[in-house]
Amino acid sequence: MPTSLQDPRVATVLDRMYTASKDQMSKLRERGGDFNRPMTTQERTEAMSEFYIPVTPEAGRLLYSLVRATRPATVVEFGMSFGISALHLAAAVRDNGTGRVVTTELSDTKIAAAKKTFTETGLDDVITILEGDALTTLESLDGAIDFVLLDGWKDLYLPVIELLEPRLSTGALVIADNASSADMKPYLDRVRNQDNGYVSFNFLVRESDSMEVSCRT
Ligand SMILES: C[S@@+](CC[C@H](N)C(=O)[O-])C[C@H]1O[C@@H](n2cnc3c(N)ncnc32)[C@H](O)[C@@H]1O
């Protein structure tokens, strides 16, 4: 049976977005030095407002599979960008026939573009965008959370998971992208200590980077 990832509307959009993100890579590399200096969340968001910096296609398919396998009622994403990962999550929710994706983004440019894209794919009815700083917008989220993708700025993973933790259901999966980034240490220290209520596992998603998958116990 075809999946929603094979729906021509979704496949065409993902293909277009991955091509655009690949085309940006040289520009991103050229300007890499600009982004390494210390910046506020807002400054970094503005500096990166044209860049996709998405999960890889392999990571997208992994996210789709994990959501299919675990059938979460509520999926929360920290860091939507233009919506590549959100589309993989939403395709899985659609194919499960149950659930919703709540995603977060600070950049107005990205939010406006993603709204159009989500409508174009027909997955907009399972996606809610919380607009603004996730540390504020996620406070208002009701109910239990069964699946989390952390893919915003890395220094915020710890405060975001601290905010969501009281609402994580038992068995919830928390997936953190770019786990090899130096900024991730405080977050990894938390989820790798089983006394904090997680069983955590790291695996490579490309040569130089990894994802941390943590199960809430
Ligand atoms: C690596 S990109 C996300 C890529 C996306 N998950 C994908 O695969 O297409 C990180 C995004 O997080 C957003 N972000 C960073 N800090 C945020 C915050 N405090 N609240 C909401 N969004 C934030 C940035 O604007 C940026 O678009």
Side-chain angles (χ1 to χ4, degrees):
M1 180 133 136
T3 70
S4 290
L5 290 177
Q6 293 167 288
D7 178 324
R9 294 173 298 173
V10 178
T12 305
V13 160
L14 283 175
D15 195 44
R16 187 178 77 209
M17 293 170 98
Y18 272 125
T19 303
S21 107
K22 229 185 197 171
D23 290 346
Q24 293 179 331
M25 284 313 286
S26 53
K27 193 171 178 185
L28 193 55
R29 267 192 294 267
E30 271 164 33
R31 293 184 48 194
D34 300 351
F35 306 131
N36 290 336
R37 66 189 168 84
M39 282 188 259
T40 64
T41 297
Q42 192 65 50
E43 283 169 342
R44 186 170 296 281
T45 299
E46 273 161 31
M48 300 295 277
S49 66
E50 68 183 289
F51 294 108
Y52 282 78
I53 37 179
V55 295
T56 62
E58 294 78 9
R61 293 197 296 275
L62 174 67
L63 291 170
Y64 174 90
S65 305
L66 291 173
V67 170
R68 287 303 305 271
T70 56
R71 298 180 61 80
T74 297
V75 176
V76 171
E77 174 177 54
F78 166 51
M80 170 185 75
S81 190
F82 289 98
I84 288 184
S85 46
L87 285 175
H88 286 88
L89 298 167
V93 160
R94 164 76 81 237
D95 294 344
N96 280 344
T98 178
R100 63 174 178 154
V101 176
V102 179
T103 184
T104 56
E105 182 50 60
L106 195 48
S107 160
D108 294 338
T109 314
K110 290 179 171 179
I111 292 166
K115 281 182 180 168
K116 283 191 193 149
T117 305
F118 294 160
T119 305
E120 196 181 337
T121 59
L123 291 171
D124 53 316
D125 61 321
V126 294
I127 305 173
T128 302
I129 305 175
L130 300 182
E131 304 180 20
D133 188 337
L135 283 172
T136 305
T137 59
L138 285 171
E139 271 178 358
S140 61
L141 191 64
D142 283 335
I145 300 166
D146 314 298
F147 193 103
V148 179
L149 172 62
L150 299 174
D151 196 21
W153 305 147
K154 311 310 152 198
D155 56 326
L156 300 180
Y157 282 17
L158 184 61
V160 168
I161 205 62
E162 280 172 347
L163 179 66
L164 299 180
E165 224 162 53
R167 281 168 289 156
L168 290 180
S169 55
T170 301
L173 280 184
V174 183
I175 317 292
D177 198 23
N178 309 112
S180 302
S181 154
D183 291 347
M184 291 277 291
K185 187 168 177 336
Y187 173 81
L188 295 175
D189 286 348
R190 184 179 193 98
V191 294
R192 288 178 181 172
N193 180 347
Q194 291 192 21
D195 292 340
N196 291 328
Y198 296 95
V199 170
S200 202
F201 173 75
N202 183 265
F203 66 94
L204 287 177
V205 283
R206 50 188 105 78
E207 252 170 54
S208 57
D209 204 1
S210 61
M211 273 183 158
E212 186 80 10
V213 177
S214 312
C215 179
R216 185 72 173 152
T217 56

